[in-house]
Amino acid sequence: MRPSGALVATMRLPLYAVIGFLWASCSSMTHSHASSNLDTLAARLASSPVAEMATGLGDDPHVSELWKEFPDPDLYASLVADGHRARPVRFGAAVVLFANRRERLSRIEPRAVADVFARALQDNLAGYAYPWGRLWASPEPVGYLGQVLVRIGRPALPALEALLDDATPRDTYLGSEEATEMAQRRYRVKDFAAVYIARILKLELPWEPELARRDAAIAKLRQAIPRPGR
């Protein structure tokens, strides 16, 4: 049996060239495998109930199953950072990381993470408002999802400021008594963003039951947001 042309050509190359050839081949195969896993994970996240995942975190079976099947935190981090991926996919990846490898989430480019969570708030991807906090109705106002944005700090300000004009209601809470009380407060997307901004900048944002007065306070807060060169 005669060796193939490619093998004969390789046999004639210097040793360092052969090693380079083999390394490049292995590297290409590894990259292809990682890319395949990334797309498979993205497809799984796209068909997963992201709202249930965001409210259940580690106790949610979908989060547990995904992490068992794809235990590489870098796969999720890549999806979170990829602005071309669908919003639910990026948020779902962030939720799985938040539940299992929170420190890895904190190492992703802060503005990318802020964008994912701000858009998740805007799109109501969590399904309920309580993971984002109870705002003025609680001594712990920001919730575990809102806390992600607050901890990012100033890099999150552009994504949050973009929500200050969004008056979409965001007032769905669990429990009949709490749900009734929170509905009366008429929380909106802009209210959550404003509270987070105030916490980041360490500014007071008093509770205003009347929406017009609340909007005036938000407008004043907006003027306090630092600008480049200021």
Side-chain angles (χ1 to χ4, degrees):
M1 178 177 177
R2 298 179 62 186
S4 68
L7 181 57
V8 170
T10 302
M11 291 169 65
R12 292 174 179 170
L13 292 172
L15 179 59
Y16 70 85
V18 174
I19 293 173
F21 173 80
L22 294 174
W23 180 87
S25 298
C26 292
S27 178
S28 177
M29 292 173 63
T30 301
H31 176 76
S32 177
H33 180 68
S35 179
S36 175
N37 280 345
L38 195 65
D39 289 338
T40 302
L41 175 57
R44 287 287 305 278
L45 287 166
S47 62
S48 296
V50 177
E52 293 178 21
M53 292 165 58
T55 52
L57 297 181
D59 294 329
D60 180 78
H62 302 94
V63 172
S64 300
E65 290 169 10
L66 283 165
W67 187 250
K68 183 177 180 180
E69 186 175 353
F70 302 93
D72 182 358
D74 289 340
L75 288 177
Y76 299 90
S78 294
L79 292 176
V80 173
D82 188 351
H84 297 290
R85 298 283 180 175
R87 294 180 184 180
V89 169
R90 297 180 74 194
F91 181 58
V95 165
V96 177
L97 272 186
F98 184 84
N100 293 282
R101 289 291 186 275
R102 202 165 299 183
E103 77 285 350
R104 183 65 183 89
L105 182 65
S106 68
R107 299 205 308 272
I108 302 171
E109 204 282 317
R111 288 180 182 270
V113 178
D115 180 67
V116 168
F117 278 79
R119 290 178 181 274
L121 169 61
Q122 186 175 39
D123 295 343
N124 198 28
L125 294 184
Y128 289 93
Y130 72 85
W132 301 104
R134 292 169 174 79
L135 306 187
W136 294 276
S138 170
E140 296 295 332
V142 298
Y144 57 86
L145 294 182
Q147 191 65 40
V148 173
L149 289 159
V150 173
R151 286 178 177 170
I152 289 172
R154 295 194 174 214
L157 291 176
L160 290 171
E161 184 179 6
L163 304 183
L164 291 182
D165 294 316
D166 192 335
T168 305
R170 194 65 75 239
D171 55 5
T172 305
Y173 289 81
L174 295 175
S176 57
E177 291 185 8
E178 182 178 45
T180 300
E181 176 191 351
M182 302 307 280
Q184 293 172 347
R185 287 179 173 268
R186 297 182 291 175
Y187 285 165
R188 306 155 299 172
V189 170
K190 65 195 307 184
D191 296 319
F192 288 88
V195 168
Y196 301 157
I197 290 170
R199 299 279 287 196
I200 290 170
L201 297 179
K202 296 179 172 54
L203 297 174
E204 292 292 328
L205 185 65
W207 164 243
E208 296 287 356
E210 295 182 14
L211 294 183
R213 293 175 63 88
R214 199 186 310 171
D215 285 343
I218 291 174
K220 183 177 179 181
L221 174 71
R222 187 177 221 155
Q223 294 176 355
I225 297 175
R227 309 294 175 190
R230 189 175 78 178

